Amino acid sequence: MKSAEKSELFRRLPSVDEALRTPRLLELSEVHGIPTTTDALRAVLARLREEIAAGAIEGQSLRLALANLAGPVEEEIRRQMKYSLRPVINATGVILHTNLGRAPLAEAVIEHIRGTAITYSNLEFDLESGERGKRDAHVDRLFRQLISEEIRRDREISTIVVNNNAAAVLLALNSLAEGGEVIVSRGELVEIGGSFRIPDVMAKSGALLREVGTTNRTRIADYEDAINERTRLLLRVHRSNFEITGFTEQPPVSELAALAKRRGILLMEDLGSGALINLRSVGISGEPNVLDSLRSGVAIVTYSGDKLLGGPQAGLISGDQKLIATMRRNSLFRALRVDKLTYAALESTLLAYVKRDHDAIPILHMMRLSNDEIGKRAEALAQQVGSEDLKSEVVDGDSVIGGGAAPSSVLRTRLIALTHKRFSADELAAGLRKSEPPIIARVEDGRVLLDLRTVFPNQDAIVSDAIRQITA
Ligand SMILES: *Cc1c(COP(=O)(O)O)cnc(C)c1O
């Protein structure tokens, strides 16, 4: 197309003001407001301009497009007004899937968030005295209840909340060890996804990292030899997302606690996963919990709210009251604090623990689902979707805890395996992602695998409808 022709087409494009005065766009402006409609119209006109410049549209089509501007404008408005953050169905079987928002919350938790967020609340207000209160009072009382008598007998334990466990580690190190040394085993200098690396957080906290031992073996004597007058802390970091096996050695936490006590320094443990109960009942062994840690004599323990605890994203610091008070006075605490929504979610989640109603916590319930139960649902679903073109069978497999917890613990499960005559596994999985709500599945060995452990039972029908729709 010659540039003269293009100029002629450009000239035919109406101005925004002009287009907005046409009846259909006036209607849209009334419904969606002038600014929204104007933005959408600008986007549509810009697309036409691009098409003209690229020579991709000629006179006749442009005339048609300009006569029907309202359609694309309305579509653009709808696209812009749609939420980007949306619910999805997690059929991966990864219970704490960091990319899918880790722990889903219980209905009761949502109600408590709603109830306190939709109006004013006593977040920082003491109803008895009528004076200013502390926001962490709401959850500290429940943590006190959960932390057994046995631990409290010889010391007062309190808990504070920050934005996530990375923030908890930063705050604890900065409060307790800035300008001093922190001793860590070389086998525990971990990276937990994204940019959380122990040496980096240590540097940001202003504490000096003192590495001891080797990758596979660190003895109590290694810690002991490294202690000097600048030492403030011994730090134990939970190897959340990996394991070291073979020729290995690591002193038990209780031995580290005894050493710290003897030498007048503190022992801190970054637990990460932060289970509040013994998970052996759900078939997960070797995952230390917060109470074990405190019972072994750890002064300060840090853990996530949205991993094995099953609550909202948060970082929790539990430990000796005096040390926690030091952290509360640190101005970093103010910068890292959480909002009322998190307090409400955490309070409601903790209440389920106090009531021993562990099944009310969705991730704990998912962990406890039996192979049989999942198998029955899988068989029913597989039968509904199978067709001449779509082979659907139920096979044995594993669910994963995820979220950097219990890396070697898997839960036996029953998977739905799909293979299609015409669509590849990747195409099927992409189709599922395009469904409403999107369904996220695993692809392995040319098959799409669906694990119903992480699918809520009331979503089974949605999954089956979606599969039938995309394979029809
Ligand atoms: C997960 C984890 C973290 C980071 O916790 P977030 O809540 O994701 O910030 C830190 N340390 C350990 C040991 C962890 O497992």
Side-chain angles (χ1 to χ4, degrees), residues 450-466:
L450 302 162
D451 186 348
L452 296 185
R453 184 185 295 280
T454 48
V455 174
F456 291 92
N458 63 4
Q459 296 173 329
D460 286 5
I462 304 173
V463 174
S464 113
D465 286 349

Side-chain angles (χ1 to χ4, degrees), residues 49-125:
R49 218 168 284 124
E50 272 168 30
E51 282 178 46
I52 296 171
I57 190 168
E58 33 72 55
Q60 182 61 19
S61 323
L62 182 63
R63 195 167 306 122
L64 253 166
L66 292 178
N68 296 296
L69 269 182
V73 170
E74 192 169 10
E75 212 169 283
E76 180 67 25
I77 291 174
R78 201 165 300 142
R79 209 178 55 78
Q80 284 181 11
M81 293 301 124
K82 214 161 89 173
Y83 286 126
S84 161
L85 182 60
R86 292 193 287 157
V88 304
I89 293 179
N90 174 11
T92 63
V94 181
I95 297 173
L96 294 167
H97 200 304
T98 298
N99 303 143
L100 303 183
R102 288 198 188 155
L105 301 175
E107 198 71 52
V109 175
I110 305 307
E111 272 168 36
H112 190 40
I113 295 175
R114 188 187 147 75
T116 47
I118 203 162
T119 179
Y120 297 98
S121 68
N122 63 339
L123 180 67
E124 286 185 4
F125 187 77

Side-chain angles (χ1 to χ4, degrees), residues 278-296:
N278 193 329
L279 293 172
R280 263 197 296 274
S281 63
V282 292
I284 294 166
S285 53
E287 190 63 30
N289 69 48
V290 176
L291 300 182
D292 289 339
S293 177
L294 292 170
R295 212 175 276 133
S296 308

Side-chain angles (χ1 to χ4, degrees), residues 102 164-166 192 196 237-238 240 270-273 304 307 314 404:
R102 288 198 188 155
N164 51 31
N165 188 39
I192 312 280
F196 182 89
V237 184
H238 184 40
S240 295
D270 175 20
L271 208 49
S273 47
S304 291
K307 289 187 183 169

Side-chain angles (χ1 to χ4, degrees), residues 152-166:
R152 277 194 288 143
R153 231 188 356 247
D154 53 349
R155 52 189 180 135
E156 279 298 322
I157 303 282
S158 36
T159 301
I160 49 172
V161 188
V162 288
N163 189 44
N164 51 31
N165 188 39

